[in-house]
Amino acid sequence: MDEEIRLVHNGEAQRLTFPIPSGVAGHDPAYQPLLRYDPVLANQLLDRYGYRKGADGWRMQPDGKPLVISYTSRNEANGVLMAELWRKTYQRIGIRMDNPRMIFSDIQRAEMLCKIQTRTYEWLADYPDGDNFMQLFYGGNIGQNNNGCYQDPQFDAWYEASHGMPPGPQRDALYRKMARQLEVQAAVMPAFSRYRNMLAQPRVLGYKKHPILHQEWKYIDIKD
């Protein structure tokens, strides 16, 4: 993730370890993920569970079929660069990676039909609350905004309980359980929060960036 932030986003992002980013109700700055980047351990685990390497150096499934991960990316420069970073990561553990490249609208259509295995997905919040992020993994939202098509009865029960709670310690405790469930089931890996840089001339009046909305332009003016 650090390499992706540096190379793809020119350092204009911060590392994210919790599904709810900072500045949003429900974020847990003390959360420590279990998963870490460790190619040596990853190779050992693959060996242990029967994903052995063939004569060509690529890993196979336990039944002998090729092990191939599909990573879908957008077909502009950033998408190509992200795909190559992921390909390099998989190569370090002997896994082939296929890379379908599509325009954004085609990716969205494929996600709605649950036809994409993995991709890097960026979410712009509709409102600054943790519910707006945890809803992305609720089974009832498959075909809507649960683009990973993740469904787990325990997660869904926790989400439904949290959905009726106000922000506070009780809901935050559920969010921590939900985050850990997503992590151990490999449903998603939080990656980064992007920075947005705004530049305004001194004669622009009344400009103040809203943390969520992007239509603040109607509230500003130009000094004659």
Side-chain angles (χ1 to χ4, degrees):
M1 290 302 101
D2 292 336
E3 190 174 12
E4 186 171 336
I5 289 171
R6 179 172 57 85
L7 295 178
V8 179
H9 300 284
N10 298 314
E12 294 294 312
Q14 65 180 13
R15 188 75 174 86
L16 183 66
T17 58
F18 196 68
I20 303 169
S22 60
V24 176
H27 173 69
D28 185 356
Y31 184 85
Q32 293 296 321
L34 298 173
L35 302 180
R36 63 186 186 276
Y37 179 69
D38 190 338
V40 174
L41 179 58
N43 275 298
Q44 292 172 349
L45 287 171
L46 287 164
D47 291 338
R48 177 176 178 179
Y49 290 101
Y51 293 89
R52 64 188 185 281
K53 290 183 178 179
D56 58 0
W58 295 109
R59 292 192 181 274
M60 299 175 289
Q61 299 180 51
D63 61 5
K65 295 179 181 179
L67 176 60
V68 181
I69 298 293
S70 177
Y71 176 83
T72 301
S73 67
R74 294 168 68 167
N75 54 6
E76 73 272 12
N78 271 19
V80 173
L81 184 53
M82 279 195 287
E84 290 311 306
L85 286 175
W86 278 102
R87 190 189 307 279
K88 181 173 67 172
T89 297
Y90 284 123
Q91 286 175 343
R92 287 172 179 163
I93 53 178
I95 295 178
R96 285 191 181 95
M97 190 196 87
D98 181 39
N99 177 219
R101 295 174 185 168
M102 307 181 190
I103 61 174
F104 182 55
S105 58
D106 287 346
I107 290 177
Q108 287 186 308
R109 280 193 287 270
E111 283 178 329
M112 297 284 278
L113 299 172
C114 299
K115 291 185 176 180
I116 288 183
Q117 186 179 28
T118 68
R119 89 170 180 99
T120 300
Y121 177 78
E122 297 168 344
W123 177 251
L124 292 174
D126 302 295
Y127 48 93
D129 188 82
D131 181 82
N132 193 239
F133 292 86
M134 289 304 191
Q135 67 169 328
L136 303 177
F137 314 108
Y138 177 57
N141 288 338
I142 291 175
Q144 299 180 58
N145 57 10
N146 180 351
N147 292 337
C149 298
Y150 171 71
Q151 189 166 24
D152 175 73
Q154 181 61 79
F155 182 94
D156 288 351
W158 285 332
Y159 175 76
E160 289 167 2
S162 72
H163 192 60
M165 295 179 182
Q170 188 177 5
R171 192 182 70 161
D172 291 348
L174 278 180
Y175 281 167
R176 283 190 289 273
K177 291 181 180 179
M178 294 157 70
R180 192 68 78 195
Q181 190 83 342
L182 292 171
E183 187 179 0
V184 299
Q185 293 187 345
V188 66
M189 182 176 65
F192 50 80
S193 294
R194 294 173 297 165
Y195 300 143
R196 179 175 282 109
N197 297 311
M198 309 299 291
L199 182 65
Q201 293 286 351
R203 64 196 195 102
V204 173
L205 303 176
Y207 176 76
K208 183 177 181 180
K209 184 71 187 82
H210 192 279
I212 297 294
L213 299 179
H214 303 292
Q215 294 82 23
E216 67 274 341
W217 308 110
K218 59 185 178 181
Y219 301 113
I220 67 178
D221 202 352
I222 303 276
K223 182 178 180 180
D224 293 332

